[in-house]
Amino acid sequence: MKASFGKKEGEYSRLVSKSSNKLLNSLWEKKQIPEEGWTEHTLDLFLSWLSSHDTNNRVDMIPVGAGEREGRVLTPLVQRLNSNLTHGIGRSGNLLEIQPKALGSSMLACLSNEFAKHALHLLGLHAVKSCIVVPLCTGMSLSLCMTSWRRRRPKAKYVIWLRIDQKSSLKSIYHAGFEPIIVEPIRDHDALITNVESVNRIVEQRGEEILCVMTTTSCFAPRSPDNIEAISAICAAHDVPHLVNNAYGLQSEETVRKIAAAHECGRIDAFVQSLDKNFQVPVGGALIAAFKQSHIQSIAQAYPGRASSIPSRDLVLTLLYQGQSAFLEPFSKQKQMFLKMKRKLNSFAENIGECVYDVPENEISLAMTLSTVPPTKQTLFGSVLFARGITGARVVPSNQTKTTIEGCEFINFGSHTAEQHGGYLNIACSIGMTDHELEELFTRLTSSYAKFVRQLAKDEDRIGSSGRRIPMNESFDMEND
């Protein structure tokens, strides 16, 4: 007996179809992160809906591609991984332009930019007027910003760069065709802070030779986030662009507050943040934001070519999956977890005769002294932690070695300063860290340190009895307890 599909079933089918279309059309009209998160099934429906707008995916006719780029993909797996969205975003020379034969991909790019702006508003940056998601790392995004400002400052040769011992921001300056004027931080008790007077003096002396001042808001302790309020005021007074490297600063409520305050008291021409560090998506994209729409338009026009839509897709899917309330939860959780990590590190440090640097404005990274570990063994201790599965922790020894990056010489690179110190351990509490991870971190850190110092004591005894120096790889067994 054949199953019949009657009037009742037909009505239900039309109702489901109408409901799905209403959801998708409403999203496109509002262009905002929904209140409640979507299911994975709805996300699949959304991707299919978008891809159906690209000409190579039409079902009402068989398209005939007569150009050099027609969205053709040879491998079915690759096509599925990209959800049939194969054209990319933008047009040659402008990331914000619509591609007529790739309306679905263009819609995706538009949604990612609008979602990004909405996300910043939810975090407290209500004055942000425009955003663009780019398929570039943070450093390349900084470089793109600087490249876009070349024409409006034709006499510029230099970028004032407040020293942060992380290579990509420095390299971004050279990649854009400029040279850095390096300003070293100054010591304020434990913290390394912005030398505002030096920046002001250089801006006054160099004037039109300065393309911009690049500040940094997210960094490893004891480096403190730059005083972007003061720098913004200087830049506004001298009509010099201000570029903020906010790589993972959205995680910090204090950093978000400082960006908003800097906009109020001066100028920020653009601020750049990594997608993976702030939104928990794969590496490959960045978010450039500005308080003027024209600033983003000029940056988009500086991009030389069409771009991958994958970072835009990943951001949109993640924010749709979370919804507004779930989006904010990890950020508030990070603040709680950081305070908990700080208490635990202070307790651990006290137990072993060390101390934690006091860097009050850094709400992501912590640094603990390593005076109880000989300087020659500190790097080995870092290797031991990695071998025990503690990733992301950094041991920073002090040295007089010169490190050359793009022709610039740095003493004590990794410490953000040429000042000598006793060595320290960096750990960070980033968004997404769980209570279990935090507990396990200190369990492994405690046992690794105890075993390490016991082995050091044994090595000292062996050296004393034999007079032979123990090779580094022989002296410590890095296997787990």
Side-chain angles (χ1 to χ4, degrees), residues 43-98:
L43 295 180
D44 286 332
L45 179 67
F46 166 70
L47 287 175
S48 297
W49 177 71
L50 282 179
S51 65
S52 69
H53 289 74
D54 284 2
T55 54
N56 59 303
N57 297 321
R58 289 180 64 175
V59 295
D60 60 321
M61 64 176 291
I62 299 176
V64 178
E68 84 288 353
R69 180 192 284 128
E70 297 300 325
R72 299 184 180 103
V73 177
L74 180 65
T75 308
L77 175 60
V78 174
Q79 192 170 33
R80 291 197 304 274
L81 286 172
N82 288 275
S83 308
N84 294 319
L85 292 163
T86 59
H87 282 282
I89 60 176
R91 302 189 79 176
S92 183
N94 191 339
L95 279 181
L96 293 175
E97 277 196 29
I98 304 300

Side-chain angles (χ1 to χ4, degrees), residues 67-141:
E68 84 288 353
R69 180 192 284 128
E70 297 300 325
R72 299 184 180 103
V73 177
L74 180 65
T75 308
L77 175 60
V78 174
Q79 192 170 33
R80 291 197 304 274
L81 286 172
N82 288 275
S83 308
N84 294 319
L85 292 163
T86 59
H87 282 282
I89 60 176
R91 302 189 79 176
S92 183
N94 191 339
L95 279 181
L96 293 175
E97 277 196 29
I98 304 300
Q99 175 59 248
K101 61 185 175 185
L103 290 179
S105 299
S106 299
M107 291 165 70
L108 179 61
C110 178
L111 284 172
S112 71
N113 297 337
E114 291 299 320
F115 275 24
K117 182 172 71 172
H118 189 201
L120 294 183
H121 289 175
L122 291 173
L123 290 172
L125 292 166
H126 305 289
V128 169
K129 289 293 188 289
S130 188
C131 294
I132 186 168
V133 174
V134 293
L136 301 169
C137 65
T138 303
M140 290 297 291
S141 301

Side-chain angles (χ1 to χ4, degrees), residues 309-442:
S309 63
I310 291 176
S312 297
R313 179 202 66 193
D314 291 349
L315 178 64
V316 169
L317 292 178
T318 299
L319 294 177
L320 283 175
Y321 180 74
Q322 289 179 300
Q324 293 184 32
S325 57
F327 164 69
L328 291 172
E329 284 176 10
F331 292 91
S332 58
K333 177 72 171 177
Q334 186 279 334
K335 185 175 182 179
Q336 299 169 18
M337 293 295 291
F338 175 76
L339 294 174
K340 190 173 181 180
M341 175 183 277
K342 191 173 184 178
R343 289 194 298 269
K344 283 182 167 293
L345 188 62
N346 273 311
S347 176
F348 173 69
E350 185 177 350
N351 288 338
I352 64 172
E354 301 287 0
C355 62
V356 177
Y357 285 87
D358 182 22
V359 189
E361 292 190 352
N362 195 327
E363 296 182 338
I364 298 173
S365 175
L366 295 166
M368 182 190 76
T369 59
L370 286 178
S371 60
T372 54
V373 178
T376 57
K377 297 290 186 180
Q378 289 175 358
T379 301
L380 176 61
F381 180 58
S383 300
V384 168
L385 295 181
F386 184 79
R388 291 295 308 273
I390 300 177
T391 59
R394 301 166 66 247
V395 168
V396 183
S398 186
N399 59 68
Q400 292 283 355
T401 304
K402 290 183 179 179
T403 302
T404 303
I405 302 170
E406 298 291 340
C408 298
E409 286 190 348
F410 297 90
I411 295 176
N412 219 12
F413 187 81
S415 305
H416 316 291
T417 177
E419 290 181 8
Q420 296 301 295
H421 54 82
Y424 56 84
L425 169 69
N426 272 138
I427 58 173
C429 181
S430 61
I431 191 169
M433 190 176 205
T434 65
D435 287 285
H436 173 73
E437 285 178 307
L438 186 60
E439 295 297 332
E440 187 63 22
L441 165 64
F442 280 94

Side-chain angles (χ1 to χ4, degrees), residues 249-268:
L250 293 181
Q251 301 181 35
S252 166
E253 188 179 88
E254 174 63 14
T255 297
V256 170
R257 184 202 65 76
K258 286 167 70 72
I259 292 173
H263 164 65
E264 290 294 329
C265 69
R267 68 183 283 178
I268 292 179

Side-chain angles (χ1 to χ4, degrees), residues 177-360:
F178 300 95
E179 294 184 18
I181 297 176
I182 302 171
V183 178
E184 295 273 344
I186 55 178
R187 179 73 64 178
D188 180 20
H189 302 291
D190 287 344
L192 294 168
I193 65 170
T194 311
N195 191 334
V196 176
E197 292 182 4
S198 289
V199 173
N200 189 56
R201 183 174 63 254
I202 295 168
V203 170
E204 288 179 343
Q205 293 173 349
R206 299 288 185 138
E208 293 181 342
E209 289 185 306
I210 302 299
L211 176 81
C212 68
V213 179
M214 187 193 295
T215 55
T216 300
T217 53
S218 51
C219 46
F220 296 123
R223 175 71 151 77
S224 185
D226 281 320
N227 186 346
I228 57 175
E229 298 102 314
I231 301 301
S232 290
I234 292 171
C235 290
H238 295 89
D239 193 28
V240 172
H242 180 194
L243 177 60
V244 179
N245 175 9
N246 189 46
Y248 48 97
L250 293 181
Q251 301 181 35
S252 166
E253 188 179 88
E254 174 63 14
T255 297
V256 170
R257 184 202 65 76
K258 286 167 70 72
I259 292 173
H263 164 65
E264 290 294 329
C265 69
R267 68 183 283 178
I268 292 179
D269 293 74
F271 59 102
V272 179
Q273 35 274 308
S274 164
L275 290 184
D276 64 282
K277 295 185 181 78
N278 296 285
F279 296 96
Q280 300 183 81
V281 296
V283 170
L287 167 58
I288 305 174
F291 297 100
K292 291 184 179 179
Q293 193 167 6
S294 59
H295 288 176
I296 293 298
Q297 289 173 343
S298 66
I299 292 168
Q301 290 169 0
Y303 190 94
R306 202 178 297 181
S308 169
S309 63
I310 291 176
S312 297
R313 179 202 66 193
D314 291 349
L315 178 64
V316 169
L317 292 178
T318 299
L319 294 177
L320 283 175
Y321 180 74
Q322 289 179 300
Q324 293 184 32
S325 57
F327 164 69
L328 291 172
E329 284 176 10
F331 292 91
S332 58
K333 177 72 171 177
Q334 186 279 334
K335 185 175 182 179
Q336 299 169 18
M337 293 295 291
F338 175 76
L339 294 174
K340 190 173 181 180
M341 175 183 277
K342 191 173 184 178
R343 289 194 298 269
K344 283 182 167 293
L345 188 62
N346 273 311
S347 176
F348 173 69
E350 185 177 350
N351 288 338
I352 64 172
E354 301 287 0
C355 62
V356 177
Y357 285 87
D358 182 22
V359 189

